[in-house]
Amino acid sequence: MKQHHSDVHTLAAAYALNALDPAERTAFADHLPYCQACREEVAEFEATAARLADAAAQTPPPAMKHHVMAAVDGVRQLPPRVTDTAPTAGLASALRRRAVPLALAASVVAAASFAGVAAWQNQQREQYQQRAVQAEQRLNDVSAVLAAPDARTVHGRASNGAVTTVVASERQNRAAFTAAGLPAPAPGQTYQLWLDHDGTMRPAGFIHQDGTVLIDGDTAGAGAVGLTLEPAGGSRRPTTAPLLLMALPT
């Protein structure tokens, strides 16, 4: 679909949700470094999408159904009611006496099973709430940097073609990193950020895909931001040549 220049600004939400076709995505990625408003909109849309994804319900683990069904299958039914007769009165009475503890046992098993399900659901709900709070905090932190009165911006392009932006606030001692067109890393690898302190590279967090993240660590005294491909989980020191080494805005 062709876009007029004035229409490019309307693609921020679709870009953040990876809903553009390749031509549109390339055009918007080329436009992004030169448009502060679009960068802010993309960062906000991506953070909101991440928050909504964190709050989404998850499918219960298969093992839960197996445990519940196994407990149900192990519960005996009450014996059928029969009319008392002289020859069988003793047997029926004995069956009724045995049925009472069996019914109590069944109740205990069922109560334990459903208590376990309730506990698991409560734990999942607490985890979702915690993740939603963390996502909201990340959104607030990034937004604070972008909206800081002393915010300064610098743009760059990584050697793998990704368009990058760093927004830094000296007053807040924080910086945000944005990547667009970032290729997916190979299996077992991840993108890691670094802060260059007089030639010493210090870990500064990760960015897993296109979007905006808050750079970890103290930006005071740092001269540049680096980006490398590292083994999954990250490294204490860079193990590959930098894809990007960009001076922090001043």
Side-chain angles (χ1 to χ4, degrees), residues 6-248:
S6 60
D7 296 332
V8 173
H9 303 281
T10 66
L11 298 179
Y15 179 84
L17 298 175
N18 294 318
L20 297 178
D21 62 37
E24 290 175 326
R25 186 172 186 83
T26 300
F28 190 81
D30 291 339
H31 162 77
L32 196 61
Y34 307 102
C35 183
Q36 176 71 19
C38 284
R39 289 196 301 275
E40 293 180 0
E41 285 192 6
V42 167
E44 292 171 358
F45 279 125
E46 288 173 339
T48 301
R51 179 168 53 183
L52 292 174
D54 280 344
Q58 295 184 0
T59 303
M64 186 185 73
K65 179 179 179 180
H66 171 75
H67 293 322
V68 173
M69 297 306 296
V72 172
D73 290 340
V75 177
R76 291 185 57 182
Q77 300 291 326
L78 292 175
R81 291 187 175 184
V82 295
T83 303
D84 289 345
T85 61
T88 60
L91 177 60
S93 178
L95 288 175
R96 282 195 296 272
R97 287 196 301 272
R98 291 187 62 188
V100 172
L102 287 174
L104 291 175
S107 299
V108 171
V109 171
S113 299
F114 287 109
V117 173
W120 177 84
Q121 290 177 334
N122 184 62
Q123 182 181 11
Q124 292 295 303
R125 182 168 57 253
E126 291 178 352
Q127 291 178 356
Y128 296 150
Q129 291 174 345
Q130 183 179 7
R131 291 168 63 186
V133 169
Q134 292 173 347
E136 184 173 5
Q137 184 60 53
R138 290 194 299 269
L139 172 61
N140 292 338
D141 291 342
V142 169
S143 299
V145 173
L146 298 179
D150 66 333
R152 298 292 182 270
T153 303
V154 64
H155 307 290
R157 186 179 291 271
S159 60
N160 60 6
V163 177
T164 62
T165 300
V166 173
V167 180
S169 168
E170 183 177 358
R171 184 179 303 174
Q172 295 187 20
N173 193 21
R174 283 180 168 181
F177 181 88
T178 298
L182 194 66
Q189 290 187 314
T190 188
Y191 289 107
Q192 187 166 358
L193 294 166
W194 305 89
L195 285 173
D196 181 6
H197 288 265
D198 296 326
T200 300
M201 304 300 287
R202 298 178 181 175
F206 304 91
I207 184 165
H208 303 292
Q209 58 187 10
D210 286 356
T212 300
V213 297
L214 197 68
I215 296 176
D216 293 341
D218 188 358
T219 58
V225 175
L227 179 69
T228 63
L229 267 175
E230 300 295 332
S235 305
R236 297 181 62 183
R237 294 289 184 271
T239 63
T240 61
L243 300 170
L244 172 76
L245 191 59
M246 185 165 57
L248 277 171

